[in-house]
Amino acid sequence: LIDDSAETSLTRQAEQIADHFGIDVVIVTVYSLNGQSAQNYADDYFDYNGYGIGPDHSGILLLISMEYRDWAISTCGDCIRYFSDRTLDRIFDSMSYYLSTGSYAKAFSIYLSELEAHLTSLTSDRTDASSGIVKKLFISLLIGAAAGGITLAVMRGKMNTARPQYGATNYIVENSFDLYKRQDFYLYSKTTRTRKQNNNSGGSTHRSSSGRSHGGRSGRF
C-alpha cells in the first residue's frame, strides 16, 4: 500500500510520538481478517505481538484490511483514557477521504499527526490546570496573610492597657460557681459524600481474547 520511502517516514513519525509520550504506536495493513471482526483482529494483533509499554501495555494500533475495506483502532493501557470514542471517530474522519481514494501514505501521516496533536493538547491542559491551581493558592495565601495581619494589628492596638495575669483568681467571684451535674447531649450528625473518580473515563472498553482490557472503534471505508 505504501512504498519504502513513505514507510521510513511514517516509522520515524510514529517512533517520535512513542518516545515522547511513552506509548506504542502501531499501524498494521493486511489483506484478510481470516473470519475475525476488525476490532478483535486489531486487539489480538496488539496483544500477541508484544506491543504496549509499561505494566499496563499502553499503546494504540490502527488496522487496515483490504479484503472488505475494514478498519479498526485498538487502544490499551493509558491510551484507553487518552482517546475517547468520540476522539477516535474524529481522528478516523480526518483521514477517511485519503483511505477511500487510495492515498494510504497521506492517510497514515494525517492519522499520526492527529494522534500527536491530541496527546499534546492533553499534556497542555494538565499543565495549564496545575499552573492555575498554584496561582489561585498563592493569591489565597497572600489575601489570608494580609487579612490576618490587619486583624492582629487591630487587636493588639486595643490591648495596650492590658497587663499579664498568671492565674484566674482575680476573675473568680467567691462561691459564684458550683458544678453539681454534667450531661452530654447528641445534637446532630453530618455526612458528606464525594463521587469516586473513574480512572477509566476515556473510551468504552471490552476484553480481548487474551483477557486484556481494550478500547477502540471500527468500521469500513
Side-chain angles (χ1 to χ4, degrees):
L1 298 182
I2 56 177
D3 59 29
D4 292 343
S5 175
E7 182 178 355
T8 299
S9 177
L10 291 169
T11 299
R12 186 182 304 113
Q13 190 177 358
E15 288 176 343
Q16 289 175 349
I17 298 171
D19 292 341
H20 185 73
F21 296 101
I23 62 173
D24 257 345
V25 179
V26 188
I27 298 176
V28 180
T29 61
V30 297
Y31 174 72
S32 175
L33 299 176
N34 300 322
Q36 285 187 275
S37 71
Q39 191 66 67
N40 288 342
Y41 193 103
D43 295 340
D44 288 349
Y45 198 97
F46 186 94
D47 292 344
Y48 295 118
N49 284 280
Y51 292 114
I53 294 177
D56 59 353
H57 307 282
S58 296
I60 184 168
L61 179 146
L62 169 66
L63 168 71
I64 299 295
S65 173
M66 297 306 298
E67 185 175 19
Y68 300 110
R69 301 177 72 82
D70 291 288
W71 69 273
I73 298 176
S74 177
T75 57
C76 193
D78 289 337
C79 286
I80 298 176
R81 294 188 292 108
Y82 296 159
F83 297 95
S84 67
D85 294 346
R86 180 179 296 181
T87 299
L88 293 178
D89 287 338
R90 177 182 57 77
I91 289 174
F92 178 78
D93 287 344
S94 68
M95 65 172 176
S96 60
Y97 169 78
Y98 297 97
L99 285 176
S100 63
T101 57
S103 303
Y104 299 107
K106 178 67 172 179
F108 297 154
S109 179
I110 290 175
Y111 165 75
L112 293 173
S113 295
E114 289 288 333
L115 293 188
E116 184 173 19
H118 179 68
L119 291 168
T120 300
S121 70
L122 293 181
T123 304
S124 177
D125 290 344
R126 286 196 294 267
T127 302
D128 292 343
S130 299
S131 300
I133 292 173
V134 172
K135 184 177 180 180
K136 290 179 181 178
L137 179 60
F138 181 70
I139 293 174
S140 297
L141 290 173
L142 287 179
I143 294 174
I150 294 172
T151 302
L152 289 174
V154 172
M155 293 174 63
R156 184 175 181 180
K158 293 180 178 180
M159 295 178 64
N160 287 337
T161 59
R163 296 293 182 268
Q165 299 292 327
Y166 300 99
T169 306
N170 293 338
Y171 303 102
I172 298 177
V173 177
E174 188 174 357
N175 299 322
S176 65
F177 179 74
D178 183 16
L179 178 64
Y180 65 93
K181 185 178 181 180
R182 180 173 63 186
Q183 289 181 292
D184 293 330
F185 293 94
Y186 177 79
L187 298 178
Y188 62 89
S189 65
K190 181 180 180 181
T191 302
T192 301
R193 292 183 173 87
T194 303
R195 182 181 294 275
K196 183 178 180 181
Q197 295 298 318
N198 182 2
N199 291 330
N200 191 28
S201 58
S204 57
T205 60
H206 55 271
R207 294 283 179 181
S208 66
S209 65
S210 71
R212 190 176 295 168
S213 181
H214 283 266
R217 304 293 276 173
S218 62
R220 287 183 172 172
F221 60 93

